[in-house]
Every structure is written in structure tokens, then in C-alpha cells.
Amino acid sequence: MNELDRLLGHLRAAPAPDRLAGIDGEVLAAVSARRAGSMAVSNASFALVAVLALFVGIIGSGVTQPHPMRMPLAPFGVPSALAPSTLLAETP
């Protein structure tokens, strides 16, 4: 580890390269150029997806089953004929 510490000390003491002086402006220019190019694509993509979703919704609401089968509503399975609630409802 002493060798690594010595090498890092030399790196810290060395002056920064002159090319790094203008790196901030170049990075910010590249980010703004990329953002400007991607926003046009993303807005067009969003519009296309929104129109597609609208058409799928309209078509999906128009397609219905001709005679829907009605199923009894029983959350825990088919109700039994011998359940206490059915036996109490009967009058002799």
C-alpha cells in the first residue's frame, strides 16, 4: 500500500493538463445538443403512442361479446344448497 500511496501523492502534486481548462463548456454544449435532439423524437413518439392508445381504446370498447355469460357472484366458491343462510330463508 505504501507504493500506491506514493504514486497517488505524485499524481496529486502534478499540475492538471491544459486540455481540462475548457472541458466544462464542451460537456455542457454536448448535453444541450443531445437534449435538443432527443426532445423532438420523444415528443413525436409520445404523440404517436397517445394516438395509438386512443384507437385501441375505441376499438376495444366497440368489440363486445354478443351474449355474455352471467356467473353467480360467490367469492368463496359455489354456494352450497345446505348453507345455513339458505336453510333459514325457507318457511315450512
Side-chain angles (χ1 to χ4, degrees):
M1 287 304 277
N2 290 336
E3 180 68 22
L4 181 61
D5 290 335
R6 186 181 62 76
L7 290 173
L8 287 175
H10 285 298
L11 185 62
R12 181 179 53 226
D18 294 334
R19 295 183 320 174
L20 292 179
I23 196 168
D24 294 338
E26 291 178 25
V27 168
L28 292 176
V31 167
S32 64
R34 181 175 286 183
R35 181 179 291 170
S38 67
M39 291 301 282
V41 173
S42 66
N43 287 342
S45 299
F46 180 73
L48 179 67
V49 169
V51 169
L52 182 66
L54 179 68
F55 282 127
V56 167
I58 290 171
I59 292 170
S61 67
V63 177
T64 59
Q65 195 175 11
H67 299 289
M69 297 177 57
R70 300 204 176 182
M71 304 278 298
L73 181 62
F76 302 112
V78 179
S80 173
L82 299 177
S85 59
T86 59
L87 295 176
L88 293 174
E90 295 178 11
T91 55

